[in-house]
Amino acid sequence: MKKLFGVLGNPIGHSMSPVMHNDLFSLYDINAIYLPFQVKEEDLSDAVIGLRAIGAGGFNVTVPHKSKIIPFLDEVDELAASIGAVNTVVNRDGKLIGFNTDGLGFLKGLNEIVPKIEGKRILVIGAGGAARAIFFTLAKESPIQMDIANRTVEKAARLIEECPYSISSKALTIEEAGSNLGHYDLVIQTTMIGMAPKITEQPLSLKNLNPHSVICDIIYNPLETSLLREARERGAKVQNGIDMFVYQGALAFEKWTGISPDIQRMKENVLGQLGGK
Ligand code: ATR
């Protein structure tokens, strides 16, 4: 019998996950289908009850349900619980278990251009759910320092306090981070600023950027944000959000099927959907 997988979100129409996972199911000859489900917040509990009742193999959870899903699951792994967000659910013999593959997905993508995080000075811009997943995951990798800049500085300070791994870290205003930018080896942009359609927006000034640094933006639409374009023009190495998206999906696929999928093929598939190369 065909196994059902899917993604719960609202809106969900533009999700690239269905094409990515369905291609993998066919590549590995797995009798399964992955569908997008648009679910309103007030229907989230019913959606989970329904997926459980029909024996879905698992599902992804995206904006705005990543935190709200937690009370409806049977178990949440330690990392996802500390982040306070689940993006992947696995049905193990009727038990729904929540994981978060966003942070590790980001790290795996980052490792393609920065193999070692240990000893690095890092700046994270933003203090939302994506920033939490990335910060908690990278904190385990022993950077020498990892600061957070956020419009609401208190939120950055809370994120640092709640991180289960102790590292040297300061909460900064966007202006403080901008004037101190030359200090960092790695800058990670996690907010929605610069995402289509507002593609000219930039979260901070790059005037003081260290040209030897690496800048990552978790946005992939557009493929090159205004921030990344300027960073590239200033000589920095840049990475867009495709790698994080593909690796978080690959980690979810592995949890559902036990197969570690073909990353290159997934990237080409996603780039094809976005009209890139
Ligand atoms: P996600 O879970 O996708 O990371 P989120 O929890 O809504 O999303 O967090 C969004 C992040 O983008 C936050 O850091 C937010 O800053 P605040 O904590 O001050 O709200 C940041 N952000 C969103 N819009 C912004 C804007 N126009 N200017 C500056 N920061 C913005």
Side-chain angles (χ1 to χ4, degrees):
M1 206 169 59
K2 221 182 228 330
K3 268 261 173 244
L4 177 69
F5 293 84
V7 54
L8 310 186
N10 191 16
I12 201 65
H14 294 295
S15 172
M16 293 182 295
S17 294
V19 174
M20 187 168 78
H21 286 289
N22 284 321
D23 175 63
L24 293 176
F25 288 143
S26 101
L27 177 69
Y28 297 110
D29 208 12
I30 295 168
N31 188 18
I33 184 164
Y34 185 110
L35 297 172
F37 296 110
Q38 181 163 335
V39 179
K40 291 192 236 129
E41 186 181 335
E42 61 268 32
D43 296 328
L44 190 58
S45 163
D46 288 347
V48 176
I49 291 169
L51 286 166
R52 189 198 296 273
I54 57 180
F59 51 94
N60 285 127
V61 186
T62 189
V63 180
H65 301 319
K66 286 185 186 185
S67 301
K68 289 165 196 125
I69 194 92
I70 290 178
F72 309 126
L73 303 176
D74 300 308
E75 259 178 46
V76 174
D77 97 319
E78 211 180 302
L79 176 66
S82 70
I83 295 167
V86 160
N87 78 325
T88 301
V89 176
V90 180
N91 185 346
R92 270 196 204 137
D93 305 321
K95 225 180 197 188
L96 297 181
I97 308 172
F99 297 90
N100 189 308
T101 68
D102 286 331
L104 197 53
F106 176 80
L107 176 61
K108 286 187 157 239
L110 177 63
N111 281 156
E112 289 196 2
I113 56 166
V114 182
K116 205 173 94 186
I117 305 305
E118 194 183 337
K120 294 280 189 287
R121 292 179 198 280
I122 304 175
L123 173 69
V124 175
I125 304 167
R132 279 178 86 87
I134 291 171
F135 189 91
F136 290 9
T137 307
L138 294 188
K140 264 172 120 168
E141 303 295 307
S142 315
I144 196 161
Q145 186 175 1
M146 185 158 54
D147 297 338
I148 309 187
N150 196 43
R151 175 177 62 181
T152 316
V153 186
E154 305 77 54
K155 214 165 134 191
R158 209 175 324 130
L159 194 162
I160 292 168
E161 256 173 52
E162 288 169 8
C163 179
Y165 313 100
S166 89
I167 55 158
S168 166
S169 189
K170 280 194 303 251
L172 306 171
T173 63
I174 297 288
E175 292 69 29
E176 284 167 338
S179 46
N180 208 15
L181 211 53
H183 177 73
Y184 300 102
D185 308 303
L186 176 58
V187 177
I188 304 163
Q189 193 310 104
T190 72
T191 75
M192 298 299 158
I193 303 170
M195 189 188 269
K198 297 183 180 172
I199 58 169
T200 56
E201 290 186 1
Q202 226 173 273
L204 90 174
S205 158
L206 293 182
K207 213 169 61 211
N208 299 313
L209 183 72
N210 169 1
H212 302 294
S213 62
V214 172
I215 300 231
C216 302
D217 197 323
I218 68 163
I219 293 172
Y220 49 76
N221 184 16
L223 286 170
E224 186 174 67
T225 55
S226 162
L227 185 81
L228 287 193
R229 184 170 62 250
E230 186 182 339
R232 178 173 55 76
E233 285 167 359
R234 287 179 180 273
K237 214 183 227 188
V238 298
Q239 184 177 64
N240 65 21
I242 293 283
D243 289 88
M244 176 180 179
F245 176 71
V246 163
Y247 275 105
Q248 65 74 33
L251 289 164
F253 188 83
E254 200 171 331
K255 287 192 183 299
W256 295 327
T257 64
I259 295 169
S260 168
D262 180 343
I263 295 290
Q264 205 45 43
R265 179 178 170 118
M266 293 172 79
K267 270 191 212 179
E268 281 160 20
N269 193 343
V270 169
L271 279 172
Q273 289 188 65
L274 283 168
K277 291 186 285 276

